[in-house]
Amino acid sequence: MTQAIRLQEVDKFYGTFQALHGVDLEVSTGERVVICGPSGSGKSTLIRCINQLEEHDGGRIEVRGVKLGDDLRNLDAVRREAGMVFQHFNLFPHVTVLENCVMPQVLSRGTKRKAAEDTARGYLDRVRILEQADKFPGQLSGGQQQRVVIARALCMEPKIMLFDEPTSALDPEMISEVLDVMVDLAGTAMTMVVVTHEMGFARRVADRVVYMEAGAAVETGTPDQIFGTPRDERTRRFLSKVMAG
């Protein structure tokens, strides 16, 4: 199986603070990897480094064979391949849901408007929100807005989807509708890397789970291994807290 993402000895500093400590991670094409750990463990920093929203300071990152670094052409190529869904929605409030999904295709890829609208409607239907296409983001619930964000990312036809705690800003009753869409997406051949505190989602969907603490990848394994027989005391301590909660 080919490698979609490869991180080797990746370091990240903010001033004198080291946020990532020599992180190694390989994600195969079509694999679903969930990254979990306490707040401040470097999870979001790691996923943001994968598409260079944050520049790494040491080590090597490759996405679909493209090395990330100073070459902006490589950066553009990677961002075309890797869609990203953030904690917060970042939708344009002054245009409709449909237009939020059409504009990136037209502006970034030069897609003809009719084709972009057809693609947008198709993905809005896939995330079960097509009926809201002509509304503005402010007229939607948080869960609905996050589903629009997922549709917008899919409209760019990425090979990889990166999710940075996509349910953390949602009210509890809205979390399941977003997770259901992600579970559906996981049933396809899409490569997914998901930072989340939703352990039920990790158990159900992940091929592998990575536990991070203090900027390091402490333990990696299958969901059965990580949740059933974690090897590292730090993993056991974290899971005892989150599973009890």
Side-chain angles (χ1 to χ4, degrees):
M1 191 175 292
T2 58
Q3 295 299 319
I5 300 168
R6 177 179 287 124
L7 283 72
Q8 297 174 305
E9 292 292 316
V10 172
D11 295 325
K12 172 65 183 175
F13 290 86
Y14 295 103
T16 59
F17 174 69
Q18 188 167 1
L20 296 177
H21 293 262
V23 176
D24 292 318
L25 176 65
E26 293 190 357
V27 180
S28 297
T29 299
E31 190 176 21
R32 298 166 303 237
V33 173
V34 168
I35 302 174
C36 63
S39 297
S41 61
K43 307 183 302 294
S44 292
T45 299
L46 178 66
I47 204 168
R48 289 170 68 87
C49 283
I50 291 174
N51 72 346
Q52 293 291 274
L53 291 171
E54 301 278 359
E55 294 183 8
H56 60 296
D57 297 307
R60 182 183 182 93
I61 300 177
E62 292 182 7
V63 178
R64 289 178 58 83
V66 178
K67 179 178 179 292
L68 291 179
D70 297 330
D71 192 328
L72 293 180
R73 290 171 300 180
N74 287 358
L75 177 59
D76 289 342
V78 165
R79 288 184 177 168
R80 284 194 297 269
E81 298 281 1
M84 184 136 183
V85 175
F86 300 90
Q87 298 176 34
H88 302 289
F89 315 128
N90 298 321
L91 293 168
F92 296 113
H94 59 287
V95 298
T96 64
V97 162
L98 181 66
E99 191 65 17
N100 264 279
C101 295
V102 167
M103 286 171 57
Q105 300 177 70
V106 172
L107 297 177
S108 297
R109 295 207 159 179
T111 306
K112 297 294 185 183
R113 184 167 188 88
K114 176 63 166 61
E117 287 186 0
D118 289 345
T119 297
R121 291 185 187 279
Y123 281 115
L124 288 170
D125 186 45
R126 180 170 171 178
V127 301
R128 302 190 284 277
I129 203 165
L130 179 58
E131 73 279 2
Q132 310 291 348
D134 295 324
K135 291 186 178 180
F136 291 88
Q139 297 175 282
L140 274 56
S141 70
Q144 290 173 323
Q145 290 188 60
Q146 194 63 295
R147 283 188 279 157
V148 173
V149 173
I150 294 172
R152 180 178 63 180
L154 292 172
C155 282
M156 303 302 285
E157 305 288 353
K159 301 294 191 298
I160 300 166
M161 283 290 287
L162 308 172
F163 295 87
D164 184 11
E165 300 195 25
T167 61
S168 64
L170 301 178
D171 293 332
E173 65 271 17
M174 298 177 186
I175 290 174
S176 63
E177 64 185 75
V178 174
L179 291 179
D180 285 347
V181 167
M182 293 172 63
V183 168
D184 178 64
L185 183 60
T188 70
M190 179 72 71
T191 305
M192 297 172 65
V193 181
V194 183
V195 171
T196 185
H197 292 288
E198 300 294 334
M199 296 299 99
F201 173 82
R203 280 179 178 270
R204 182 177 177 186
V205 168
D207 296 308
R208 280 189 300 141
V209 176
V210 179
Y211 174 68
M212 290 189 67
E213 187 171 310
V218 171
E219 186 168 358
T220 302
T222 65
D224 285 347
Q225 186 263 304
I226 293 293
F227 293 110
T229 55
R231 294 183 295 268
D232 195 283
E233 174 58 30
R234 291 166 291 181
T235 312
R236 290 195 291 269
R237 185 172 58 243
F238 171 76
L239 289 174
S240 69
K241 291 178 181 177
V242 296
M243 304 307 271

